């Protein structure tokens, strides 16, 4: 996993710099006040949560810890998600190439980590409780319903882009990547957990890690966006405690699944079932 290890190490550095620049450089962001505040909130979570989580997990991965591998993969998934947001939901600015580099390193690191996980030997006794899969499927269903509740009415509205008013965006990258990539992936993992498949336990732990960090991120970006423009309806201060609670609740299935992850790391290219 040498190439993937170097890619993830590079990602730690690039993501930290990109987030620090986004937070600290005055007048870097030229979007609406609320979106600038939201982007800075996300950058703080990248800098203080996701990057440290990835950096602290990598030594464990090299020592042979599957649990560290799950945490690292979840952190990279979060960075991939938000690299898309920096690259496509932030007006072009001098940090653009940093955002692109963060996105490139995130995508290729994630592909390498997932390929490595799928190549591990499977311990048939290591299965997670079915209720963890039910939890994943419920969250996927609620999230999908929430997004379609906006997208479907807008599709047939006289002004289909009205829901984007105040954002400065021409479309919503959250809807695109959630509906096209992340929610289907988590639905697959949820179904596999319900079916007691041992080969998805590491990836399920990674997915739940991603969700917990993302819940923290949404709580912070909603708070920061509201702070930047209290009059905006794009964000909601009322959503902050809800997403903070979701992060706490999501930690429970994450810890349960992590405990079912075998302690050792099998050589790459092991059996897959």
């Amino acid at each position: 996993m040498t190439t993937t290890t170097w890619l993830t190490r590079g990602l730690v550095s690039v993501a930290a710099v990109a987030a620090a620049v986004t937070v600290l450089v005055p007048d870097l962001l030229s979007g609406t006040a609320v979106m600038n505040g939201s982007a800075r909130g996300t950058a703080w979570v990248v800098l203080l949560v996701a990057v440290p989580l990835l950096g602290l997990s990598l030594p464990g991965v090299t020592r042979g810890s599957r649990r560290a591998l799950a945490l690292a993969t979840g952190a990279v998934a979060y960075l991939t998600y938000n690299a898309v947001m920096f690259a496509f939901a932030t007006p072009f600015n001098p940090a653009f190439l940093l955002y692109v580099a963060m996105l490139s390193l995130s995508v290729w690191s994630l592909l390498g980590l997932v390929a490595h996980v799928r190549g591990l030997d499977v311990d048939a006794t290591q299965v997670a409780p079915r209720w963890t899969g039910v939890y994943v499927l419920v969250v996927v269903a609620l999230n999908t319903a929430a997004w379609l509740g906006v997208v479907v009415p807008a599709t047939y509205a006289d002004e289909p882009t009205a829901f984007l008013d105040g954002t400065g965006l021409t479309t919503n990258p959250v809807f695109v990547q959630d509906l096209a990539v992340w929610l289907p992936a988590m639905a697959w993992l949820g179904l596999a957990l319900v079916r007691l498949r041992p080969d998805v336990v590491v990836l399920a732990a990674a997915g739940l890690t991603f969700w917990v960090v993302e819940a923290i991120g949404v709580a912070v970006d909603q708070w920061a966006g509201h702070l930047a423009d209290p009059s905006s309806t794009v964000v909601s201060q009322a959503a902050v405690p809800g997403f903070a609670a979701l992060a706490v609740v999501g930690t429970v299935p994450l810890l349960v699944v992590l405990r079912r992850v075998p302690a050792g790391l099998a050589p790459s290219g092991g059996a897959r079932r």
Side-chain angles (χ1 to χ4, degrees):
M1 205 174 67
T2 303
T3 301
T4 301
T5 300
W6 281 109
L7 286 171
T8 50
R9 287 173 179 168
L11 175 59
V12 168
S13 299
V14 171
V17 173
V21 166
T22 302
V23 168
L24 299 175
V25 175
D27 302 323
L28 175 74
L29 303 178
S30 59
T32 62
V34 65
M35 294 299 287
N36 292 347
S38 181
R40 290 192 178 97
T42 297
W44 275 118
V45 176
V46 168
L47 191 61
L48 299 180
V49 181
V51 165
L53 177 60
L54 179 57
L56 292 172
S57 299
L58 285 178
V61 174
T62 59
R63 288 195 302 267
S65 169
R66 294 185 192 224
R67 292 173 183 171
L69 179 60
L71 293 173
T73 304
V76 172
Y78 173 82
L79 292 173
T80 303
Y81 188 98
N82 286 287
V84 171
M85 298 305 297
F86 286 139
F88 292 99
T90 303
F92 184 87
N93 62 64
F96 175 74
L97 289 179
L98 277 173
Y99 298 153
V100 172
M102 178 180 169
L103 179 57
S104 178
L105 288 167
S106 296
V107 168
W108 291 110
S109 296
L110 185 60
L111 290 174
L113 289 168
V114 170
H116 189 64
V117 171
R118 297 296 291 161
L120 296 175
D121 289 325
V122 175
D123 185 341
T125 66
Q126 300 292 332
V127 295
R130 278 197 172 94
W131 70 262
T132 59
V134 173
Y135 169 80
V136 170
L137 292 175
V138 167
V139 174
V140 167
L142 292 174
N143 199 162
T144 302
W147 290 170
L148 292 180
V150 176
V151 173
V152 173
T155 301
Y156 299 100
D158 293 335
E159 297 183 21
T161 60
F163 72 94
L164 295 167
D165 290 348
T167 67
L169 300 175
T170 57
T171 192
N172 190 329
V174 171
F175 293 166
V176 175
Q177 58 175 337
D178 276 0
L179 294 172
V181 179
W182 301 107
L183 290 175
M186 291 302 293
W188 174 76
L189 288 173
L191 286 171
L193 288 174
V194 169
R195 293 170 179 168
L196 301 179
R197 285 178 50 182
D199 60 319
V200 302
V201 172
V202 176
L203 283 180
L208 288 165
T209 299
F210 165 39
W211 270 3
V212 169
V213 181
E214 179 61 17
I216 296 170
V218 175
V220 173
D221 77 45
Q222 292 288 300
W223 172 80
H226 177 78
L227 191 66
D229 185 0
S231 66
S232 175
T233 59
V234 172
V235 296
S236 171
Q237 185 76 347
V240 175
F243 279 99
L246 183 61
V248 174
V249 170
T251 302
V252 176
L254 167 59
L255 292 176
V256 170
V257 175
L258 268 179
R259 290 188 64 183
R260 303 304 175 95
V261 173
L265 184 62
S268 180
R272 294 192 312 186
R273 296 180 179 84

